[in-house]
Amino acid sequence: MKSILFAAAEGLPFIKSGGLADVIGSLPKILKQREYDVRVVLPLYKKIADKYFDQLEYLGTLQIKSGWIDQPASYFQTEVDGVVYYFVQHQAYFERDGLYGFPDDGERFSFYQKAILEMCKMIDFYPDILHAHDWHTGMLAALTKIHYGSDWHFDKVKHVYTIHNLAFQGNFPKDILGSCLGLSFKYYEDGSMRYDGGISFMKTGIVYSDKVTTVSPSYAKEILTPEYGEHLDEILRYRQHDLWGIVNGIDVTEWNPQTDKLLAKNYTAKNVAKGKKDNKLAVQKALGLREAPDVLMIGMVSRLTYQKGVYLIAERLADIMGLDIQFVVLGTGEEDAESTFRYMEEKYKRRAVYYCGYNEDLAHQIYAGCDLFLMPSLYEPCGIGQLIAMRYGSLPLVRETGGLRDTVHAFNQYTNEGNGFSFWAFSGDDLVHTLKFACDTYYMNPEGWKELVQHAMNTDVSWEYSANLYQELYEIL
């Protein structure tokens, strides 16, 4: 049985701030079903400790020495759906109100990564594959090969590194090499870890890992260019023969309109029209919108940032709300974006509503109640929202980039092919034009819309195909 250790900074069902958590919560379960010994390691954050601490088994405590760091790490474990989860506890580093964005993030995640490798020794578990995710674990391959290269247990470990979002790179001052990682300054001088006068955890992961993956085939191509490469395109082109683009899936057991307990009415592809109307009415009643089961409802569940295209909406808000629609937005983000949606709710009373924050119950209800799901992103490595939307019969309207391009195929009104709507140029004009086309289809071509919904719900958004590719990758290593 092949063994895999997933190392990440967040993962469901324990903690989430973005799409990384969805992957860590679902992909290991699929691989477990394929007879892999799959385990996951996460930091023990305050939110996890508050909710789950009594369910965790204590494994032991070690003194972690990494550069000038000399701190204890305590280890805990539990099991979910056959997958073992390990947690690294250090109260000062991880039991805070947030996950990242602190001045000492370089120190915190240097400690975390060294603690992961020491944990492997403590529990006598040396995985065939150490699968690291995003910048928080980008140093693992280098630390393994440099600090533990003489240990035959670690010598057999192969390293896979997955880029979930290249824009967040873990860039820190070069002094961290010695002070927090216990590494020689030569790794800065030879350029293997150097980035913009400091060091980059993500660049290091790309350089030292045996294989590099990202979360869609289109994004894998985009990041080789200066436009999307975030100043790492040169090193990615150097590693492109080891770079795989594997699109994410979703947990189709959790995200299932037929069994979802958070919905007002469960439904399948056979009775989706009735189910949509019932759930739309429930959302309208809950949020104070005009109760109109036949109006086109647009939903958006997102971080409200420039990357997500929210300023395209702000730029053309009057034109968008001039259409015969209702608009429901759930999320938090940049202050200007939040202000735009507060203004929208005030100006277009009973037609638009903005819920500032994140509400898991409401997110499920929006996916089920809306007819159209909006994702006009500047770039999107994969995207989870459009996959969930299709699962719930909500047609995604997306910009053709990254994983959105790979998963959403534009409606062809002449052949009735497609599973959503899309536009290419990152412009308010193209967004409004496509929204108008979607509205016309909804109101004037109801049969075409019904067929499009069926195509969306029949789209395979599970992990099965992508798990085959990961399995192929692991077997190559």
Side-chain angles (χ1 to χ4, degrees):
M1 179 186 290
K2 300 289 193 305
S3 58
I4 307 167
L5 178 62
F6 277 68
E10 59 182 82
L12 290 174
F14 299 101
I15 194 78
K16 174 179 177 176
S17 72
L20 168 62
D22 295 279
V23 175
I24 301 303
S26 53
L27 179 56
K29 289 195 293 186
I30 299 298
L31 294 172
K32 178 68 177 180
Q33 295 168 9
R34 298 180 177 217
E35 304 302 319
Y36 283 95
D37 176 5
V38 188
R39 312 185 193 186
V40 178
V41 58
L42 301 169
L44 186 59
Y45 296 110
K46 182 176 185 293
K47 288 184 178 179
I48 300 177
D50 289 346
K51 186 173 182 180
Y52 297 101
F53 192 77
D54 291 342
Q55 303 171 30
L56 305 181
E57 175 189 353
Y58 173 67
L59 296 177
T61 299
L62 295 174
Q63 197 73 11
I64 305 301
K65 298 180 180 181
S66 185
W68 298 347
I69 296 173
D70 189 356
Q71 296 286 334
S74 295
Y75 300 94
F76 298 82
Q77 76 172 27
T78 190
E79 186 174 312
V80 179
D81 295 326
V83 177
V84 174
Y85 286 80
Y86 298 111
F87 299 92
V88 177
Q89 183 191 49
H90 186 288
Q91 291 179 320
Y93 283 148
F94 301 123
E95 294 195 24
R96 307 179 183 184
D97 291 333
L99 306 189
Y100 339 114
F102 298 99
D104 62 343
D105 275 355
E107 179 180 343
R108 297 168 70 223
F109 287 97
S110 294
F111 169 85
Y112 174 55
Q113 291 172 91
K114 186 66 180 293
I116 290 171
L117 297 174
E118 288 296 309
M119 179 193 77
C120 291
K121 293 170 62 178
M122 183 183 78
I123 64 175
D124 194 27
F125 175 65
Y126 302 90
D128 296 303
I129 305 289
L130 179 49
H131 193 153
H133 295 261
D134 263 354
W135 72 261
H136 321 87
T137 52
M139 299 299 297
L140 276 173
L143 290 174
T144 303
K145 293 174 180 181
I146 296 168
H147 282 322
Y148 300 87
S150 60
D151 186 333
W152 68 269
H153 292 99
F154 283 101
D155 190 50
K156 74 180 184 71
V157 176
K158 298 299 182 182
H159 295 269
V160 175
Y161 182 63
T162 295
I163 301 165
H164 292 264
N165 192 333
L166 193 64
F168 302 100
Q169 300 175 348
N171 300 328
F172 302 105
K174 58 187 175 183
D175 294 346
I176 278 182
L177 271 178
S179 62
C180 297
L181 293 163
L183 295 173
S184 167
F185 195 64
K186 73 178 183 180
Y187 298 106
Y188 173 83
E189 294 175 330
D190 69 15
S192 61
M193 300 181 185
R194 184 174 66 237
Y195 180 86
D196 194 25
I199 66 162
S200 170
F201 282 23
M202 179 164 282
K203 177 184 176 179
T204 304
I206 294 168
V207 170
Y208 280 86
S209 297
D210 299 296
K211 295 290 182 181
V212 180
T213 78
T214 192
V215 289
S216 70
S218 287
Y219 192 61
K221 294 175 183 177
E222 290 173 351
I223 61 178
L224 300 178
T225 68
E227 182 181 2
Y228 291 97
E230 301 288 349
H231 306 291
L232 290 175
D233 52 288
E234 185 176 355
I235 197 68
L236 284 162
R237 287 193 298 272
Y238 178 74
R239 293 300 313 273
Q240 65 181 307
H241 296 297
D242 292 311
L243 176 63
W244 291 48
I246 304 176
V247 73
N248 286 338
I250 60 171
D251 186 333
V252 293
T253 302
E254 177 189 355
W255 295 103
N256 185 353
Q258 186 174 1
T259 58
D260 192 334
K261 296 179 180 179
L262 299 175
L263 305 189
K265 180 78 172 181
N266 292 114
Y267 59 92
T268 66
K270 291 182 178 179
N271 65 339
V272 59
K274 178 67 166 60
K276 278 280 175 193
K277 287 186 177 182
D278 289 342
N279 283 286
K280 186 186 298 183
L281 276 169
V283 171
Q284 289 167 339
K285 289 178 181 177
L287 298 180
L289 295 166
R290 179 173 65 89
E291 294 179 24
D294 294 319
V295 72
L296 174 65
M297 180 181 284
I298 299 174
M300 190 171 181
V301 179
S302 176
R303 287 184 293 112
L304 305 180
T305 64
Y306 182 77
Q307 179 219 327
K308 297 296 184 180
V310 295
Y311 296 106
L312 295 185
I313 300 170
E315 173 191 323
R316 300 300 297 273
L317 185 60
D319 295 310
I320 293 170
M321 294 309 301
L323 302 171
D324 186 9
I325 63 166
Q326 291 183 350
F327 196 6
V328 180
V329 178
L330 168 64
T332 60
E334 294 165 6
E335 188 174 337
D336 287 347
E338 292 184 0
S339 297
T340 293
F341 290 119
R342 289 193 182 97
Y343 166 80
M344 175 189 74
E345 182 176 44
E346 179 65 26
K347 183 172 177 61
Y348 303 100
K349 290 184 183 296
R350 305 200 72 203
R351 292 189 56 226
V353 66
Y354 169 48
Y355 185 102
C356 184
Y358 186 73
N359 183 312
E360 184 71 18
D361 293 8
L362 182 58
H364 282 248
Q365 292 153 15
I366 290 172
Y367 283 116
C370 71
D371 304 290
L372 203 63
F373 191 82
L374 192 56
M375 295 182 70
S377 302
L378 172 63
Y379 66 91
E380 195 68 60
C382 179
I384 296 292
Q386 83 279 14
L387 305 179
I388 299 171
M390 288 190 285
R391 177 78 166 150
Y392 282 67
S394 302
L395 300 181
L397 192 158
V398 306
R399 180 171 172 265
E400 296 168 10
T401 183
L404 301 179
R405 176 190 295 166
D406 293 328
T407 56
V408 179
H409 309 294
F411 174 51
N412 184 322
Q413 60 186 316
Y414 304 106
T415 64
N416 278 358
E417 295 175 310
N419 58 10
F421 299 89
S422 67
F423 62 99
W424 180 79
F426 188 67
S427 77
D429 288 345
D430 279 35
L431 170 59
V432 171
H433 175 78
T434 309
L435 270 173
K436 287 180 177 177
F437 176 50
C439 283
D440 288 345
T441 304
Y442 180 82
Y443 287 114
M444 302 174 66
N445 184 6
E447 291 305 314
W449 186 276
K450 288 177 183 177
E451 190 169 346
L452 200 51
V453 169
Q454 292 298 315
H455 292 169
M457 295 189 77
N458 288 329
T459 299
D460 183 5
V461 296
S462 74
W463 273 104
E464 288 302 318
Y465 173 73
S466 297
N468 288 339
L469 295 178
Y470 276 113
Q471 190 168 350
E472 180 184 343
L473 175 65
Y474 295 149
E475 295 302 326
I476 287 172
L477 288 176

